Amino acid sequence: MALLTEYDVVNMRFKEPKRADEGYDQDEVDYFLDEVAETIAHLTREKNELTEKLQAAEARITELENAGEATPDVAVPVASAADSTLPQAAVVQENAENATGVLALAQKLHDEYVANGKAESERLIAEAEVECNRIRKETEENRSRTVAKLEEERSVMEHKISELRDFERDYRTRLKSYLESLLNNVNSQNPQGSDI
């Protein structure tokens, strides 16, 4: 799997579900989350490697500082003892300048690594917040659509129930009238109430 970029995360779109109650495709979401996890793991490993390199550089700087502090103490008495030690003092001076240069370079690298790490961390957090807001917004929109659809269906059902009740009442009234008219016909044909 290739590492995700900010563009990949921000512009990721899952297939719309066929129905609102189904949700997104579980496999597609799982695959995307696996890619996100792999990218985070890679960045974490890279950060740990840079931290180890930084610690090694700091240890080397400390070592060089200690060596630089010890060397001038030894070099000063030798330099004052005879003129033949002047080249050796120049070498010690050059070594001190080299150590200072290495120290400055190590400090610069340290600052760059820390700044890059902070920038990457802020970028990842910003991307995650954007994705979180997008997912929240989509979820809220889906919920609103679903609630509106259910309300509409409820209204239609209530209307149908009302129509059916009206129909039942009307049907009962007409059936009662029809039965009463039949009974009146039977009674009018048989006025004495004798059996037919």
Side-chain angles (χ1 to χ4, degrees), residues 56-115:
E58 287 175 343
R60 180 69 178 141
I61 290 168
T62 304
E63 181 183 317
L64 290 173
E65 283 177 343
N66 292 339
E69 290 173 4
T71 305
D73 291 342
V74 173
V76 170
V78 174
S80 60
D83 294 335
S84 63
T85 59
L86 286 176
Q88 187 178 5
V91 169
V92 170
Q93 177 76 19
E94 188 178 324
N95 285 344
E97 288 173 3
N98 286 344
T100 304
V102 168
L103 235 162
L105 179 62
Q107 184 63 43
K108 181 181 175 186
L109 286 173
H110 169 268
D111 293 342
E112 285 178 8
Y113 286 142
V114 169

Side-chain angles (χ1 to χ4, degrees), residues 23-56:
Y24 292 110
D25 181 8
Q26 185 75 30
D27 293 336
E28 185 180 9
V29 173
D30 287 345
Y31 180 77
F32 181 72
L33 289 176
D34 289 344
E35 286 183 326
V36 170
E38 183 177 324
T39 300
I40 291 171
H42 174 76
L43 293 173
T44 302
R45 283 192 304 272
E46 191 175 283
K47 178 187 169 222
N48 291 339
E49 288 172 7
L50 292 174
T51 302
E52 289 173 8
K53 286 180 183 179
L54 176 62
Q55 289 172 348

